[in-house]
């Protein structure tokens, strides 16, 4: 009898050990797999059991939380949702997150280990920490000026502080209210399908995720390549450029919308936006040096984050001489985001140094204690200071005496470059109107802001001046807010 009891006790002990081992396996080694299982609702319920952290603009929250009373308790709310949607993105219980809500989701949802004093203890006890706050670099006055300037047009604005790379404005229109997507009821699904089916594509962030042919604004990059390579040593010297210009290896003649482009010096060609001069320069500089200069400005970079992902701007690396010539005037397959062209303008304004753009100034916990400063990545020298100064002078000339006059601000030094980008089959689409610029207060040595504006449905003709007519006034409003 005693022997049977001993065997039973030993067997029971083995069963208990097996149970404990299996529990340990599930709790320690399989926790991530079970947690990621779509059938496991505990993680989703825990995610929404407390308010989400805030996204702040100039210290003021532009996001909040609402108690729905349901199992997924707290839903996201937005203040001035359409104004800040290109910055915040959406946080939806049904469709996930986007843009800054996605890039900083760990902080905002409370799951980032930086929010805990002892992360290992919180993991062991399954403690859900309060969400932290993300402080953006956005200037509300500049954001509003850009949004109101675009109005009902399809387009985008990106503005950067040249010295630091801080993104001061990020606007895409038409926009949408991300609050419509916050919950999980039928209205959210209906809003999602309506917004995605809309012809103007309001959920597309045109400032970060859409690339456009940059047209004549790319001539800033070509001018930099010409000066840095030694192809041009004097911006006031004749360039030996015919008008029209026969594209190398073809029978195609490239003309100009402006007069007086034959053999025009670089400075005059920049002001008048002579296609022939810049196309010839691009072909003479050659593919390797043009690609190298474009890359130094940020083109062909698939890893750009601010921390929201940015679509890579394109400058082809395999082209013949005629295609290089067209690419040098911002056509062929050359394509850029508005943020990329703001980076080009900011580099010139900052003496040839590029400060990588960033949208986050700092991150704080629920008590307001800073847990991380914004990324301070080192600047890099893209072009020499002398080259930068020469291009600055040419951009100032465009605003003072050329097609950028509508960007001028009294008492402020403004440099700019207009552009009209043709697109579509046989270039029959409505040209995109571009304007890139920078502004510096008269009593300051540092530029206050660099701006890029693109308008898709500009009411303008195909002349280069359309960028000055449709896009320059928007840039002027943003720059005026910056130097006010």
């Amino acid at each position: 009898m005693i022997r049977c009891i001993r065997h039973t006790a030993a067997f029971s002990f083995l069963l208990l050990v097996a149970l404990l081992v299996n529990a340990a396996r599930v709790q320690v080694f399989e926790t991530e797999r079970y947690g990621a299982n779509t059938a496991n609702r505990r993680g989703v319920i825990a995610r929404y059991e407390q308010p989400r952290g805030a996204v702040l603009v100039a210290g003021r929250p532009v996001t909040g939380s609402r108690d729905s009373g349901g199992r997924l308790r707290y839903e996201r709310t937005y203040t001035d949702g359409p104004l800040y949607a290109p910055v915040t993105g959406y946080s939806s219980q049904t469709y996930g997150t986007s843009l800054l809500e996605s890039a900083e989701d760990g902080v905002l949802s409370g799951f980032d280990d930086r929010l805990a004093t002892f992360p290992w203890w919180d993991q062991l006890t399954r403690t859900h920490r309060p969400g932290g706050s993300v402080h953006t670099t956005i200037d509300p006055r500049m954001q509003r000026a850009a949004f109101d300037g675009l109005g009902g047009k399809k387009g985008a604005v990106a503005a950067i502080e040249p010295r630091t790379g801080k993104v001061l404005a990020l606007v895409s229109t038409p926009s949408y209210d991300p609050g419509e997507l916050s919950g999980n009821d039928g209205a959210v699904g209906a809003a999602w399908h309506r917004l995605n089916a809309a012809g103007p594509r309001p959920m597309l962030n045109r400032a970060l995720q859409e690339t456009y042919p940059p047209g004549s604004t790319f001539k800033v990059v070509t001018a930099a390549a010409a000066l840095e390579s030694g192809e041009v040593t004097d911006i006031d010297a004749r360039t030996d450029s015919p008008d029209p210009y026969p594209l190398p290896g073809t029978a195609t003649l490239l003309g100009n919308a402006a007069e007086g482009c034959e053999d025009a010096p670089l400075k005059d060609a920049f002001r008048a936006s002579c296609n022939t001069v810049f196309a010839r320069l691009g072909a003479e500089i050659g593919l390797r040096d043009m690609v190298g200069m474009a890359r130094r400005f940020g083109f062909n970079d698939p890893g750009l984050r601010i921390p929201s992902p940015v679509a890579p701007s394109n400058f082809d690396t395999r082209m013949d001489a005629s295609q290089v010539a067209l690419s040098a005037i911002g056509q062929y397959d050359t394509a850029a985001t508005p943020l990329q062209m703001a980076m080009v303008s900011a580099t010139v304004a900052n003496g040839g140094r590029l400060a990588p753009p960033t949208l986050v100034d700092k991150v704080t916990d629920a008590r307001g204690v800073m847990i991380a400063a914004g990324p301070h990545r080192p600047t890099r020298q893209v072009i020499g200071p002398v080259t930068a100064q020469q291009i600055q002078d040419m951009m100032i000339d465009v605003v003072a005496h050329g097609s950028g006059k509508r960007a001028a601000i009294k008492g402020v030094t403004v440099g700019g470059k207009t552009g009209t980008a043709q697109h579509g089959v046989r270039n029959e689409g409505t040209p995109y109107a571009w304007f890139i610029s920078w502004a510096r207060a008269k009593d300051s040595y540092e530029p206050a802001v660099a701006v890029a504006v693109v308008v898709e449905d500009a009411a303008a003709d195909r002349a280069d001046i359309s960028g000055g007519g449709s896009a320059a006034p928007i840039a002027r409003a943003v720059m005026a807010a910056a130097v006010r």
Side-chain angles (χ1 to χ4, degrees):
M1 186 69 180
I2 295 177
R3 182 180 179 185
C4 291
I5 293 174
R6 286 176 178 173
H7 286 172
T8 302
F11 182 67
S12 299
F13 178 74
L14 290 175
L15 290 177
L16 179 60
V17 170
L19 180 63
L20 293 174
V21 168
N22 186 61
R25 179 185 64 83
V26 171
Q27 292 290 329
V28 178
F29 298 104
E30 300 289 334
T31 181
E32 291 188 8
R33 184 169 69 87
Y34 281 106
N37 193 307
T38 55
N40 185 358
R41 298 283 292 169
R42 294 183 62 186
V44 178
I45 294 172
R47 179 182 179 84
Y48 298 107
E49 69 183 2
Q50 63 183 22
R52 189 171 171 84
V55 176
L56 293 94
V57 171
R60 182 178 68 90
V62 295
T63 63
S65 295
R66 180 181 70 87
D67 191 346
S68 67
R71 292 191 71 190
L72 305 183
R73 184 172 175 182
Y74 285 97
E75 298 176 357
R76 197 60 149 162
T77 61
Y78 295 87
T79 303
D80 292 325
L83 175 63
Y84 292 110
V87 176
T88 63
Y90 59 80
S91 175
S92 171
Q93 294 177 342
T94 306
Y95 298 106
T97 57
S98 70
L99 299 177
L100 204 56
E101 292 272 30
S102 175
E104 297 290 348
D105 181 65
V107 171
L108 296 169
S109 62
F111 289 103
D112 194 303
D113 286 342
R114 292 175 298 176
L115 297 170
T117 305
F118 302 107
W120 60 270
W121 177 254
D122 286 354
Q123 291 177 2
L124 184 64
T125 59
R126 306 290 188 210
T127 301
H128 188 182
R129 300 175 289 271
S133 296
V134 176
H135 300 248
T136 70
T137 57
I138 295 294
D139 183 308
R141 294 175 303 170
M142 296 172 64
Q143 185 80 1
R144 176 59 70 178
F147 187 79
D148 291 346
L150 282 168
K153 303 183 184 73
K154 286 194 291 185
V157 177
I160 297 174
E161 186 176 63
R163 184 180 62 83
T164 64
K166 291 180 178 180
V167 177
L168 302 176
L170 202 65
V171 170
S172 174
T173 56
S175 189
Y176 71 104
D177 184 358
E180 292 187 83
L181 306 176
S182 293
N184 56 13
D185 56 15
V188 170
W192 176 265
H193 292 295
R194 171 174 53 80
L195 290 171
N196 279 282
R201 299 189 295 171
M203 294 182 66
L204 172 65
N205 189 328
R206 290 171 163 84
L208 300 181
Q209 297 172 344
E210 182 77 321
T211 58
Y212 303 86
S216 293
T217 60
F218 190 80
K219 290 170 183 173
V220 172
V221 179
T222 303
L227 292 166
E228 289 285 289
S229 67
E231 187 66 32
V232 173
T233 56
D234 182 356
I235 63 175
D236 293 308
R238 292 281 177 180
T239 56
D240 190 27
S241 303
D243 184 9
Y245 169 65
L247 293 175
T250 75
T252 302
L253 296 178
L254 179 68
N256 296 291
E259 299 292 334
C261 289
E262 184 174 359
D263 296 334
L266 183 64
K267 184 174 182 179
D268 295 345
F270 192 90
R271 184 197 321 112
S273 204
C274 297
N275 287 334
T276 53
V277 173
F278 283 90
R280 176 192 161 278
L281 282 174
E284 292 295 323
I285 293 165
L287 177 62
R288 186 186 67 178
D289 286 348
M290 284 298 299
V291 169
M293 182 56 67
R295 279 178 171 162
R296 283 154 66 181
F297 273 104
F299 282 77
N300 299 343
D301 180 5
L304 182 59
R305 302 286 187 274
I306 64 170
S308 303
V310 182
S313 297
N314 179 69
F315 190 86
D316 278 5
T317 58
R318 294 184 179 182
M319 294 184 285
D320 61 30
S322 66
Q323 293 165 341
V324 174
L326 290 174
S327 296
I329 61 173
Q331 295 292 163
Y332 187 56
D333 284 341
T334 304
T337 62
L339 181 70
Q340 172 61 68
M341 295 313 297
M343 291 165 61
V344 169
S345 184
T347 300
V348 171
N350 195 38
R353 296 191 67 83
L354 172 61
T358 179
L359 187 56
V360 175
D361 188 48
K362 63 180 178 180
V363 175
T364 59
D365 64 15
R367 297 167 297 172
V369 177
M370 187 172 73
I371 60 173
H376 295 290
R377 289 167 287 184
T379 60
R380 65 175 186 269
Q381 195 75 44
V382 173
I383 55 178
V386 174
T387 298
Q389 184 62 58
Q390 290 174 305
I391 299 177
Q392 285 180 28
D393 292 342
M394 291 192 291
M395 294 180 75
I396 291 171
D397 188 41
V398 168
V399 175
H401 306 108
S403 56
K405 291 180 179 179
R406 295 187 67 180
I409 303 172
K410 186 177 181 180
V412 178
T413 301
V414 177
K417 182 71 187 81
T418 55
T420 300
Q422 298 179 0
H423 65 99
V425 179
R426 299 186 182 89
N427 291 330
E428 293 175 353
T430 301
Y432 299 138
W434 277 93
F435 192 73
I436 65 173
S437 60
W438 51 267
R440 181 177 65 234
K442 287 288 188 182
D443 57 350
S444 175
Y445 292 102
E446 292 184 354
V449 66
V451 183
V453 179
V454 64
V455 180
E456 290 187 25
D457 48 0
D461 58 26
R462 291 175 180 271
D464 184 69
I465 198 170
S466 65
S470 300
I474 301 171
R476 182 189 186 278
V478 176
M479 292 186 292
V483 298
R484 186 177 303 160

